[in-house]
Amino acid sequence: MDLYPLLNSLRIAAISATVVFFLGIAAAYYIAKCPRIIKGILDVIFTLPLVLPPTVVGYLLMLLFGPRRPVGAFFLDTFGVKLTMQWWSAILAVTVIVFPLMYRTARGAFESFNEDLASAGRTLGLSNTYIFWRIRIPACKQGIIAGVVLSFARALGEYGATSMIAGYTPGKTATVSTAVYNLWRTGNDELAFKWVLINIAISAVVLLCINLVEKPYKRRSG
Amino acid sequence: MLYADFEKQLDLFTLRVHIEWDQGVFSLFGASGAGKSMTLKCIAGIEKPDRGVIRLDDKVLFDSAKHVNLPPQKRGVGYLFQDYALFPNMTVAGNIKAGLHRLPRRQRDLKAAEFMERFRITELADTKPARLSGGEKQRVALARIFASEPQVLLLDEPFSSLDTFLKWELIPYMKEALQSFSGCSIMVSHDLDEVLSLCDSVSVIQKGVTEPAVDSGAFSEQIKEKLQHAGLYFDKGIIKHD
C-alpha cells in the first residue's frame, strides 16, 4: 500500500497549522486594538471561511491563483512557477479554511486575559515584546494549544478546496481525503476502506489530544 | 514631589484631578466608581488623560500641551493592583525577577533573594501565585514592586480582596512597608479604616472631582462631627453605635 497520501496529508496539515498559529495569534491580538467598525468588518472576513462551503473558498482561490488569474499569472510569468496542482497548493487552501478556527480560539483566550497583568508588566518596566511572549501567551496557553490542535485536525480532513486547487494526482497531490473519494469513485472499495480506517484512527488520536489539553484547564477554572 | 492636574472624559462624568504631594502617604477617598482607579491609571501611564500635566519632581510624565506622554515603563511608578496582578505562569521568585530582568543574572538572583527575605516570603520562592493566600499575594506583589525601585507607589484598594480579619493583620505590615519607602505614595480606598490608619493626608473624590486635601487628623475630626449629628460616635477609625 502506497502511504504517500498519508505523508502528504500530514505535511500539509503540519505546515498549515504552523502558518495559522502565527497568523491567527497576530490577527486575534491586533483586531482587539482596532476601532469598533473596522473590528466588526475584519471579524466577519476572518470568520467567513468557517461558514462558507469549502468549494466556494476553492473557487475564490482559483480566481486569484489560477494560472490565468492575476496572482497565478504573475508567478507563472516571473518565476515560472504554477501555483495550482502542486502538493503545496493544498497549503493555500487548507490555511484559509483553517484560519478561522485558530483566530477564534486565540481571540477567545486573549479576551479572557486579565489586562491588569500586562499593565503590571509595563509599570515594572517590561517591554511590550516581553509581556506578549512571556506573560500574555503563557496565560492564554491552553486556548492557543487547543486552537492549534483543532486547526491541525481540521487541516487533515480538508477536502473541498484542496481538491479544487491541488486536484488528485496519485503520488503527487493525493491526500487521505481526496484518495478516499477517488478510490471509491473508481470502484477500489477495499483500498478506500483502509484509508477510511486510517483517517478515523488519526482523528480519534487528535481528539484525544484536545481532551488531554483541555482537562487541566477546566479543572483549574472550576 | 508628585504634581498631577488633569482631566479625562469618562462615560458618566469628567474626571478632574488635582494632586500635589511630597512625601508620605496620600489618600484618595471615595465611593466605588468615583474615578479613583482611573486616576491612578492616568498617573501610571496605563490610561491617557485628555488634557493636563503630570510631573514627578522635575520629570514631566505627561503634558498634553507639549505632547509628552511617557510610557509606564519610563515613569518609575510602582502599581499595586486590586487583585495584585501576579504573573500566574511564574513562581514567586520568577515574579520578582521579572521586574529585574535587565540586571545580570547573579545580581538579579541576589536582589530577588534580598527582597523575598525583607518581605518574609523566602519559603514561598518556588510557589505559583494560584496557591498563595490573599495576604501572601499582597506581600509578593509588594516585594516585586519594591525590588523594581519605583519613585512613586500607587496602591489601588490594597485590602479590598481580603476579608476584614486578614485586613487588620496586614495593615501594620503595610504601614511598615510604606514607612520604609522614601518616595511618595498614593492610595485609593473606599474604606475609612484603611485611610485613617495608613494615610497622612486625605482628599475626597466625588464623581471624578478631587476636593482639596486635608490632614488625616483633621479629616477624622470632620467625620466625627458628621457622625455626631446622626447620634453615632467614632473611635480610632471604628464606627460604633452610641
Side-chain angles (χ1 to χ4, degrees), chain A residues 84-120:
Chain A
T84 57
M85 303 303 149
Q86 316 274 4
W87 74 262
W88 44 263
S89 306
I91 295 170
L92 289 173
V94 170
T95 301
V96 173
I97 298 275
V98 152
F99 173 79
L101 285 176
M102 186 66 213
Y103 158 71
R104 289 247 138 197
T105 29
R107 211 190 66 179
F110 283 157
E111 275 168 2
S112 58
F113 177 75
N114 175 6
E115 222 31 68
D116 280 352
L117 295 180
S119 301

Short mmCIF file of all heavy atoms in Angstrom, two decimals, chain A residues 84-120:
data_model
loop_
_atom_site.label_atom_id
_atom_site.label_comp_id
_atom_site.label_asym_id
_atom_site.label_seq_id
_atom_site.Cartn_x
_atom_site.Cartn_y
_atom_site.Cartn_z
N THR A 84 -1.04 26.22 -8.86
CA THR A 84 -2.07 25.20 -8.63
C THR A 84 -1.55 23.82 -9.02
O THR A 84 -0.50 23.71 -9.68
CB THR A 84 -3.33 25.51 -9.46
OG1 THR A 84 -2.93 25.60 -10.84
CG2 THR A 84 -3.96 26.82 -9.03
N MET A 85 -2.27 22.80 -8.57
CA MET A 85 -1.95 21.40 -8.91
C MET A 85 -0.56 20.96 -8.45
O MET A 85 0.04 20.08 -9.03
CB MET A 85 -2.10 21.16 -10.44
CG MET A 85 -3.48 21.51 -10.98
SD MET A 85 -4.80 20.59 -10.15
CE MET A 85 -6.14 21.78 -10.25
N GLN A 86 -0.03 21.59 -7.42
CA GLN A 86 1.21 21.12 -6.77
C GLN A 86 0.79 20.56 -5.41
O GLN A 86 -0.27 20.92 -4.90
CB GLN A 86 2.18 22.27 -6.54
CG GLN A 86 2.33 23.22 -7.70
CD GLN A 86 3.36 22.74 -8.69
OE1 GLN A 86 3.91 21.65 -8.55
NE2 GLN A 86 3.60 23.53 -9.73
N TRP A 87 1.65 19.73 -4.82
CA TRP A 87 1.24 19.24 -3.49
C TRP A 87 1.09 20.39 -2.52
O TRP A 87 0.19 20.40 -1.67
CB TRP A 87 2.22 18.17 -2.96
CG TRP A 87 3.55 18.71 -2.47
CD1 TRP A 87 4.71 18.76 -3.15
CD2 TRP A 87 3.83 19.27 -1.17
NE1 TRP A 87 5.71 19.31 -2.40
CE2 TRP A 87 5.19 19.63 -1.17
CE3 TRP A 87 3.07 19.49 -0.03
CZ2 TRP A 87 5.81 20.20 -0.07
CZ3 TRP A 87 3.69 20.06 1.08
CH2 TRP A 87 5.04 20.41 1.04
N TRP A 88 1.94 21.41 -2.64
CA TRP A 88 1.87 22.53 -1.69
C TRP A 88 0.75 23.50 -2.00
O TRP A 88 0.48 24.42 -1.23
CB TRP A 88 3.22 23.24 -1.58
CG TRP A 88 3.93 23.50 -2.87
CD1 TRP A 88 4.93 22.74 -3.42
CD2 TRP A 88 3.70 24.56 -3.79
NE1 TRP A 88 5.34 23.27 -4.61
CE2 TRP A 88 4.60 24.39 -4.86
CE3 TRP A 88 2.82 25.66 -3.82
CZ2 TRP A 88 4.65 25.26 -5.96
CZ3 TRP A 88 2.88 26.53 -4.89
CH2 TRP A 88 3.77 26.33 -5.96
N SER A 89 0.10 23.38 -3.16
CA SER A 89 -1.06 24.24 -3.43
C SER A 89 -2.13 24.04 -2.37
O SER A 89 -2.84 24.97 -1.98
CB SER A 89 -1.67 23.93 -4.79
OG SER A 89 -0.69 23.99 -5.79
N ALA A 90 -2.22 22.80 -1.90
CA ALA A 90 -3.22 22.49 -0.87
C ALA A 90 -2.99 23.31 0.39
O ALA A 90 -3.94 23.61 1.13
CB ALA A 90 -3.17 21.00 -0.53
N ILE A 91 -1.72 23.70 0.66
CA ILE A 91 -1.44 24.50 1.85
C ILE A 91 -2.21 25.82 1.80
O ILE A 91 -2.77 26.27 2.80
CB ILE A 91 0.08 24.76 2.00
CG1 ILE A 91 0.80 23.43 2.23
CG2 ILE A 91 0.36 25.73 3.13
CD1 ILE A 91 2.30 23.54 2.14
N LEU A 92 -2.26 26.42 0.60
CA LEU A 92 -3.02 27.67 0.43
C LEU A 92 -4.47 27.44 0.85
O LEU A 92 -5.03 28.20 1.65
CB LEU A 92 -2.99 28.10 -1.04
CG LEU A 92 -1.68 28.63 -1.60
CD1 LEU A 92 -1.81 28.84 -3.11
CD2 LEU A 92 -1.33 29.94 -0.92
N ALA A 93 -5.07 26.40 0.29
CA ALA A 93 -6.48 26.13 0.56
C ALA A 93 -6.70 25.83 2.04
O ALA A 93 -7.55 26.43 2.70
CB ALA A 93 -6.95 24.96 -0.30
N VAL A 94 -5.90 24.92 2.58
CA VAL A 94 -6.09 24.47 3.96
C VAL A 94 -5.87 25.62 4.94
O VAL A 94 -6.61 25.78 5.91
CB VAL A 94 -5.14 23.28 4.25
CG1 VAL A 94 -5.14 22.94 5.72
CG2 VAL A 94 -5.55 22.07 3.42
N THR A 95 -4.87 26.45 4.67
CA THR A 95 -4.59 27.58 5.56
C THR A 95 -5.80 28.50 5.65
O THR A 95 -6.21 28.91 6.74
CB THR A 95 -3.36 28.36 5.06
OG1 THR A 95 -2.25 27.47 5.01
CG2 THR A 95 -3.02 29.50 5.98
N VAL A 96 -6.39 28.81 4.51
CA VAL A 96 -7.55 29.71 4.52
C VAL A 96 -8.73 29.07 5.25
O VAL A 96 -9.39 29.72 6.08
CB VAL A 96 -7.95 30.07 3.07
CG1 VAL A 96 -9.26 30.87 3.06
CG2 VAL A 96 -6.85 30.87 2.40
N ILE A 97 -8.97 27.81 4.99
CA ILE A 97 -10.11 27.12 5.61
C ILE A 97 -9.95 27.03 7.12
O ILE A 97 -10.91 27.17 7.88
CB ILE A 97 -10.24 25.68 5.04
CG1 ILE A 97 -10.50 25.72 3.53
CG2 ILE A 97 -11.30 24.87 5.79
CD1 ILE A 97 -11.92 25.88 3.12
N VAL A 98 -8.72 26.82 7.57
CA VAL A 98 -8.46 26.51 8.98
C VAL A 98 -8.23 27.78 9.81
O VAL A 98 -8.44 27.79 11.02
CB VAL A 98 -7.24 25.55 9.01
CG1 VAL A 98 -6.46 25.67 10.28
CG2 VAL A 98 -7.69 24.13 8.78
N PHE A 99 -7.85 28.85 9.13
CA PHE A 99 -7.53 30.10 9.82
C PHE A 99 -8.59 30.53 10.85
O PHE A 99 -8.23 30.87 12.00
CB PHE A 99 -7.30 31.21 8.78
CG PHE A 99 -7.12 32.56 9.36
CD1 PHE A 99 -5.91 32.95 9.91
CD2 PHE A 99 -8.18 33.47 9.40
CE1 PHE A 99 -5.75 34.19 10.47
CE2 PHE A 99 -8.03 34.72 9.96
CZ PHE A 99 -6.82 35.08 10.49
N PRO A 100 -9.89 30.52 10.49
CA PRO A 100 -10.89 30.99 11.47
C PRO A 100 -10.87 30.21 12.78
O PRO A 100 -11.12 30.79 13.84
CB PRO A 100 -12.23 30.77 10.76
CG PRO A 100 -11.90 30.70 9.33
CD PRO A 100 -10.53 30.12 9.22
N LEU A 101 -10.56 28.93 12.72
CA LEU A 101 -10.53 28.12 13.95
C LEU A 101 -9.47 28.65 14.91
O LEU A 101 -9.71 28.83 16.11
CB LEU A 101 -10.23 26.66 13.62
CG LEU A 101 -11.36 25.84 13.01
CD1 LEU A 101 -10.86 24.46 12.66
CD2 LEU A 101 -12.52 25.74 14.00
N MET A 102 -8.28 28.91 14.38
CA MET A 102 -7.19 29.40 15.22
C MET A 102 -7.48 30.82 15.69
O MET A 102 -7.32 31.15 16.87
CB MET A 102 -5.89 29.38 14.40
CG MET A 102 -4.66 29.74 15.20
SD MET A 102 -4.31 28.50 16.48
CE MET A 102 -3.62 29.54 17.74
N TYR A 103 -7.94 31.64 14.75
CA TYR A 103 -8.24 33.04 15.07
C TYR A 103 -9.29 33.14 16.19
O TYR A 103 -9.11 33.86 17.16
CB TYR A 103 -8.70 33.75 13.80
CG TYR A 103 -9.50 34.99 14.02
CD1 TYR A 103 -8.90 36.15 14.51
CD2 TYR A 103 -10.87 35.02 13.76
CE1 TYR A 103 -9.65 37.28 14.73
CE2 TYR A 103 -11.62 36.15 13.98
CZ TYR A 103 -11.01 37.28 14.46
OH TYR A 103 -11.75 38.40 14.70
N ARG A 104 -10.37 32.36 16.06
CA ARG A 104 -11.45 32.42 17.04
C ARG A 104 -11.01 31.92 18.41
O ARG A 104 -11.31 32.55 19.43
CB ARG A 104 -12.64 31.56 16.57
CG ARG A 104 -13.37 32.16 15.41
CD ARG A 104 -14.76 32.57 15.83
NE ARG A 104 -15.08 33.85 15.25
CZ ARG A 104 -16.06 34.63 15.68
NH1 ARG A 104 -16.79 34.26 16.70
NH2 ARG A 104 -16.30 35.78 15.12
N THR A 105 -10.31 30.80 18.45
CA THR A 105 -9.89 30.27 19.76
C THR A 105 -8.87 31.21 20.40
O THR A 105 -8.92 31.46 21.61
CB THR A 105 -9.30 28.85 19.68
OG1 THR A 105 -8.70 28.67 18.42
CG2 THR A 105 -10.34 27.79 19.91
N ALA A 106 -7.94 31.75 19.59
CA ALA A 106 -6.94 32.65 20.16
C ALA A 106 -7.62 33.92 20.66
O ALA A 106 -7.29 34.42 21.75
CB ALA A 106 -5.89 33.00 19.10
N ARG A 107 -8.60 34.42 19.91
CA ARG A 107 -9.28 35.64 20.34
C ARG A 107 -10.03 35.41 21.65
O ARG A 107 -10.00 36.24 22.56
CB ARG A 107 -10.26 36.12 19.25
CG ARG A 107 -10.42 37.62 19.24
CD ARG A 107 -11.55 38.05 18.35
NE ARG A 107 -12.82 37.59 18.88
CZ ARG A 107 -13.98 37.85 18.31
NH1 ARG A 107 -14.04 38.53 17.19
NH2 ARG A 107 -15.10 37.40 18.84
N GLY A 108 -10.70 34.26 21.74
CA GLY A 108 -11.39 33.93 22.98
C GLY A 108 -10.43 33.90 24.15
O GLY A 108 -10.73 34.42 25.23
N ALA A 109 -9.26 33.31 23.93
CA ALA A 109 -8.26 33.22 25.00
C ALA A 109 -7.76 34.61 25.37
O ALA A 109 -7.63 34.94 26.55
CB ALA A 109 -7.10 32.33 24.57
N PHE A 110 -7.48 35.45 24.38
CA PHE A 110 -6.98 36.80 24.65
C PHE A 110 -8.02 37.64 25.38
O PHE A 110 -7.69 38.46 26.23
CB PHE A 110 -6.59 37.51 23.35
CG PHE A 110 -5.28 37.04 22.78
CD1 PHE A 110 -4.99 37.21 21.43
CD2 PHE A 110 -4.32 36.44 23.58
CE1 PHE A 110 -3.79 36.78 20.90
CE2 PHE A 110 -3.12 36.02 23.06
CZ PHE A 110 -2.85 36.19 21.72
N GLU A 111 -9.30 37.44 25.01
CA GLU A 111 -10.34 38.25 25.63
C GLU A 111 -10.50 37.94 27.11
O GLU A 111 -10.88 38.79 27.89
CB GLU A 111 -11.68 38.06 24.90
CG GLU A 111 -11.80 38.99 23.70
CD GLU A 111 -12.96 38.63 22.79
OE1 GLU A 111 -13.70 37.68 23.10
OE2 GLU A 111 -13.10 39.31 21.75
N SER A 112 -10.20 36.69 27.50
CA SER A 112 -10.33 36.37 28.91
C SER A 112 -9.04 36.68 29.69
O SER A 112 -8.96 36.45 30.88
CB SER A 112 -10.71 34.89 29.09
OG SER A 112 -9.75 34.07 28.50
N PHE A 113 -8.06 37.24 28.99
CA PHE A 113 -6.80 37.60 29.65
C PHE A 113 -7.01 38.84 30.52
O PHE A 113 -7.66 39.80 30.10
CB PHE A 113 -5.74 37.89 28.58
CG PHE A 113 -4.42 38.36 29.11
CD1 PHE A 113 -3.55 37.46 29.71
CD2 PHE A 113 -4.04 39.69 29.03
CE1 PHE A 113 -2.33 37.88 30.20
CE2 PHE A 113 -2.82 40.13 29.52
CZ PHE A 113 -1.96 39.21 30.10
N ASN A 114 -6.50 38.79 31.74
CA ASN A 114 -6.63 39.91 32.67
C ASN A 114 -5.63 41.01 32.26
O ASN A 114 -4.43 40.87 32.46
CB ASN A 114 -6.35 39.40 34.08
CG ASN A 114 -6.34 40.51 35.10
OD1 ASN A 114 -6.65 41.67 34.79
ND2 ASN A 114 -5.98 40.17 36.33
N GLU A 115 -6.17 42.10 31.71
CA GLU A 115 -5.32 43.17 31.16
C GLU A 115 -4.44 43.80 32.24
O GLU A 115 -3.40 44.37 31.92
CB GLU A 115 -6.24 44.22 30.53
CG GLU A 115 -5.85 44.81 29.19
CD GLU A 115 -5.06 43.91 28.23
OE1 GLU A 115 -5.59 42.92 27.71
OE2 GLU A 115 -3.89 44.24 27.99
N ASP A 116 -4.84 43.67 33.52
CA ASP A 116 -4.01 44.20 34.61
C ASP A 116 -2.62 43.56 34.61
O ASP A 116 -1.64 44.18 35.02
CB ASP A 116 -4.68 43.96 35.97
CG ASP A 116 -5.76 44.99 36.25
OD1 ASP A 116 -5.87 45.96 35.48
OD2 ASP A 116 -6.49 44.83 37.24
N LEU A 117 -2.53 42.30 34.17
CA LEU A 117 -1.23 41.63 34.15
C LEU A 117 -0.29 42.35 33.19
O LEU A 117 0.89 42.56 33.50
CB LEU A 117 -1.38 40.17 33.72
CG LEU A 117 -2.16 39.25 34.66
CD1 LEU A 117 -2.21 37.84 34.09
CD2 LEU A 117 -1.52 39.24 36.03
N ALA A 118 -0.82 42.74 32.03
CA ALA A 118 0.01 43.47 31.07
C ALA A 118 0.38 44.84 31.63
O ALA A 118 1.54 45.27 31.54
CB ALA A 118 -0.72 43.61 29.74
N SER A 119 -0.60 45.51 32.26
CA SER A 119 -0.31 46.82 32.85
C SER A 119 0.74 46.71 33.95
O SER A 119 1.64 47.54 34.05
CB SER A 119 -1.59 47.43 33.43
OG SER A 119 -2.57 47.58 32.44
N ALA A 120 0.62 45.66 34.78
CA ALA A 120 1.60 45.45 35.84
C ALA A 120 2.98 45.29 35.23
O ALA A 120 3.96 45.87 35.69
CB ALA A 120 1.23 44.23 36.68
#
